[in-house]
Amino acid sequence: MTDGTHSIRTPVREFLYREARTLDRRRYRRWVDEFLAEEVTYRVPTHTTQEKNTRSEFSSESWHFDDDRESLEVRIDRLENEYAWSANPPSRIRRFVSNVLVEPDGELATATDYLLVVRHDRDARDPTVLSAERHSTLRADDGGLSLARRRVLLDQTAIGVDHLPIL
């Protein structure tokens, strides 16, 4: 392991854990302001069912999310709007981040991690569980790290929820 990998690993992990906690607490404005780079891209391609020797299991044309900072802010505006009926009462969501691998690349760092999302909606007895692999590109800024790019690869082909604010 190189010194560069060791020195960036802890700050990247802390960034990912703090980000998950911020989103779990539904502090979406804080997430945008403190965690996202101005030119962030946030993509969640649809998972397709393919035969085993197919090049990719993920669509390059269909997305659950294909957002930039502006569209993420619009998504948050809708969540915070008093007419967001599907988000009222808000779901209780817990994000578990694990298996974090970090690769430094100059001013950037690439993090690959596993994400488990457990969502309790209203009075439903059984939670919705989503699992994914995330690929995040983080940039070192004056104030620390910021998310420049994220690609979330869901294990599920179909998401069984009415709405999902942020993965």
Side-chain angles (χ1 to χ4, degrees):
M1 175 185 318
T2 65
D3 288 338
T5 301
H6 184 70
S7 66
I8 193 69
R9 185 185 321 146
T10 298
V12 167
R13 285 182 177 166
E14 288 296 315
F15 176 92
L16 296 172
Y17 299 153
R18 284 186 303 106
E19 178 192 26
R21 183 177 63 196
T22 300
L23 289 169
D24 287 350
R25 293 178 177 173
R26 296 187 293 275
R27 294 181 177 156
Y28 301 121
R29 293 275 168 220
R30 181 175 177 190
W31 177 67
V32 169
D33 294 341
E34 294 182 19
F35 291 89
L36 302 185
E38 285 299 320
E39 75 291 344
V40 67
T41 59
Y42 198 103
R43 294 189 172 135
V44 183
T46 57
H47 193 167
T48 59
T49 304
Q50 302 284 336
E51 294 184 16
K52 66 180 170 180
N53 291 326
T54 304
R55 188 170 180 200
S56 175
E57 295 178 24
F58 296 92
S59 174
S60 60
E61 300 171 1
S62 177
W63 309 87
H64 295 292
F65 289 74
D66 185 8
D67 290 340
D68 58 14
R69 186 180 180 106
E70 184 178 343
S71 59
L72 286 166
E73 288 176 348
V74 168
R75 185 182 297 275
I76 290 166
D77 287 342
R78 283 189 303 224
L79 278 172
E80 293 176 340
N81 184 310
E82 64 183 272
Y83 301 109
W85 303 113
S86 65
N88 192 13
S91 300
R92 295 170 306 282
I93 299 175
R94 185 78 60 209
R95 293 161 183 83
F96 297 90
V97 178
S98 70
N99 298 54
V100 179
L101 297 174
V102 179
E103 292 292 327
D105 184 16
E107 295 297 313
L108 303 173
T110 302
T112 302
D113 65 82
Y114 291 164
L115 177 69
L116 183 67
V117 178
V118 180
R119 178 180 183 251
H120 294 271
D121 198 19
R122 296 181 178 87
D123 293 329
R125 290 182 59 198
D126 298 321
T128 301
V129 178
L130 299 172
S131 59
E133 178 176 296
R134 297 189 307 180
H135 301 268
S136 304
T137 301
L138 304 174
R139 177 180 326 142
D141 291 337
D142 296 336
L145 296 172
S146 63
L147 180 65
R149 285 188 303 277
R150 175 164 288 153
R151 187 166 185 243
V152 181
L153 304 175
L154 289 168
D155 293 324
Q156 290 84 342
T157 302
I159 301 176
V161 296
D162 295 337
H163 76 285
L164 190 62
I166 307 291
L167 289 168

